[in-house]
Amino acid sequence: MKQEPNNLGDALPWQIERVGKIRDEYLSIPGGAGQLAAEFMRQDIDNAIQAQASGDVVKMLSAYEKLKEYEL
């Protein structure tokens, strides 16, 4: 994946995509072991999409910071 953009308007969608890929990895864990973590990621992705749609910079920044916490 390319380097993260350095402005919020571009970085939030980048994080949404990045965490979506991590979520896919968790969903592929056999036996459903990654389901709970994947659900948390889905909720945070949904919140980020809503924040982006609202244009509320404070909500967008909060969502961005939350998504940054996820690692594979």
Side-chain angles (χ1 to χ4, degrees):
M1 183 170 251
K2 294 190 282 185
Q3 183 178 0
E4 181 176 2
N6 59 4
N7 65 67
L8 184 59
D10 293 332
L12 184 56
W14 188 89
Q15 285 291 344
I16 291 168
E17 180 181 347
R18 184 186 73 82
V19 175
K21 290 177 182 177
I22 294 171
R23 181 176 179 270
D24 291 343
E25 291 291 325
Y26 274 77
L27 287 172
S28 71
I29 297 172
Q35 292 291 329
L36 182 60
E39 178 59 23
F40 286 127
M41 287 180 222
R42 185 197 60 77
Q43 290 175 5
D44 289 335
I45 290 169
D46 288 349
N47 289 339
I49 292 169
Q50 289 174 2
Q52 185 178 20
S54 76
D56 184 325
V57 176
V58 174
K59 288 180 182 178
M60 289 171 64
L61 188 54
S62 176
Y64 168 80
E65 291 297 329
K66 182 66 179 169
L67 292 177
K68 275 183 29 177
E69 295 175 5
Y70 288 107
E71 295 183 20
L72 187 57

